[in-house]
């Protein structure tokens, strides 16, 4: 039995059957109801009576190589070792699951994809990839234009009003650039400032006369 869509996951195990069918556009999944395996439950009952060894061997022997026939049949290996009764239940459960899932998907007549309600344009009868919703596209276009306007406004707005200068301190002793420390990197002279007692102008250490008023500076 072929699935109505290839975009699904078989979550079944030995205890029962469950399937997830996914939207071909967004990938959101719809999980079907869990169907308990009657053969597994029956096997558990007999194992409780002490027949675990014989039943286990019969299940493993008869189930090897059983093929359900799902397309490329990747499930033959996944469910290898299950009993023929389990596989029959599996096929019946898969058919029920498909009927349950079909009510939650629409098939686009143009691209043939199965899509969920969120990706279906009911007014146009197509998926949103082939017929985008007008209101959604208008809102998205307005939002995109707003972002571009904000970026353009920011580009033309002056946010820095200071001066860009490159300052370099020269050592009063050796005349070379001093670096950013408190002492000259070349001669080790102190770079602390001397405040003029008359005018308050600050001059580098080692300066003999104030640059503001010409007064002699005491070292």
């Amino acid at each position: 039995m072929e699935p109505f869509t290839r975009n699904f996951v078989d979550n079944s195990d030995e205890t029962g059957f469950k399937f997830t069918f996914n939207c071909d556009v967004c990938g959101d999944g719809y999980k079907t109801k869990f169907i308990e395996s009657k053969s597994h439950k029956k096997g558990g009952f007999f194992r409780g009576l002490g027949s675990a060894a014989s039943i286990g061997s019969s299940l493993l022997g008869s189930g090897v190589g059983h093929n359900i026939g799902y397309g490329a049949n990747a499930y033959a290996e996944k469910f290898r070792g299950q009993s023929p009764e389990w596989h029959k239940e599996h096929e019946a459960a898969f058919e029920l699951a498909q009927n349950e899932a079909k009510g939650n998907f629409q098939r686009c007549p143009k691209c043939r994809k199965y899509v969920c309600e969120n990706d279906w344009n009911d007014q146009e009868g197509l998926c949103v990839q082939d017929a985008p919703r007008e209101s959604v596209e208008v809102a998205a276009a307005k939002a995109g234009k707003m972002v571009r306007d904000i970026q353009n406004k920011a580009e033309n707005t002056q946010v820095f009003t200071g001066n860009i200068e490159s300052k370099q301190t020269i050592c009063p002793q050796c005349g070379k650039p001093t670096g950013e420390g408190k002492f000259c990197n070349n001669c080790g002279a102190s770079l602390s400032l001397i405040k003029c007692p008359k005018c308050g102008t600050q001059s580098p250490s080692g300066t003999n006369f104030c640059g503001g008023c010409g007064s002699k500076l005491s070292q």
Side-chain angles (χ1 to χ4, degrees), residues 9-219:
V9 178
D10 193 334
N11 308 118
S12 303
D13 58 27
E14 61 181 3
T15 64
F17 315 101
K18 192 177 183 68
F19 305 87
T20 301
F21 295 87
N22 301 300
C23 173
D24 287 330
V25 173
C26 68
D28 284 352
Y30 173 80
K31 293 184 178 180
T32 60
K33 298 177 181 178
F34 178 77
I35 301 175
E36 186 178 13
S37 170
K38 295 179 180 179
S39 60
H40 174 78
K41 187 175 182 181
K42 181 180 178 181
F45 173 76
F46 282 113
R47 283 192 294 271
L49 295 179
S51 304
S54 60
I55 294 178
S57 61
S58 65
L59 289 178
L60 291 173
S62 61
V64 174
H66 186 86
N67 192 320
I68 303 175
Y70 294 153
N73 195 26
Y75 301 103
E77 282 297 322
K78 180 178 179 181
F79 300 126
R80 181 184 295 273
Q82 299 296 340
S83 68
E85 292 80 4
W86 185 95
H87 283 291
K88 290 180 181 179
E89 288 184 293
H90 187 216
E91 292 184 24
F94 187 66
E95 184 175 0
L96 290 175
Q98 289 199 98
N99 292 333
E100 177 186 342
K102 282 181 180 179
N104 295 274
F105 292 90
Q106 298 283 350
R107 191 181 192 189
C108 178
K110 181 178 180 182
C111 64
R112 305 299 182 184
K113 292 180 179 179
Y114 285 92
V115 300
C116 64
E117 294 298 327
N118 292 330
D119 295 309
W120 178 251
N121 188 334
D122 194 54
Q123 293 181 339
E124 301 297 335
L126 296 169
C127 71
V128 294
Q129 288 186 332
D130 292 321
R133 296 188 184 95
E134 181 179 352
S135 59
V136 174
E137 294 301 314
V138 169
K142 289 173 63 178
K145 180 62 165 57
M146 180 183 67
V147 172
R148 292 192 297 273
D149 289 347
I150 292 173
Q151 293 173 340
N152 291 334
K153 184 69 175 179
E155 288 291 335
N156 297 318
T157 300
Q158 184 177 357
V159 296
F160 178 74
T161 57
N163 297 320
I164 300 177
E165 298 178 349
S166 178
K167 295 182 179 181
Q168 190 176 60
T169 303
I170 303 299
C171 176
Q173 296 294 331
C174 65
K176 295 181 179 180
T178 62
E180 299 180 356
K182 294 182 178 181
F183 299 91
C184 176
N185 292 337
N186 298 286
C187 67
S190 175
L191 302 176
S192 59
L193 300 177
I194 304 172
K195 187 176 183 179
C196 177
K198 282 191 175 182
C199 67
T201 301
Q202 292 185 332
S203 302
S205 177
T207 305
N208 294 321
F209 296 94
C210 175
C213 65
S215 299
K216 184 174 177 60
L217 299 175
S218 58
Q219 299 299 319

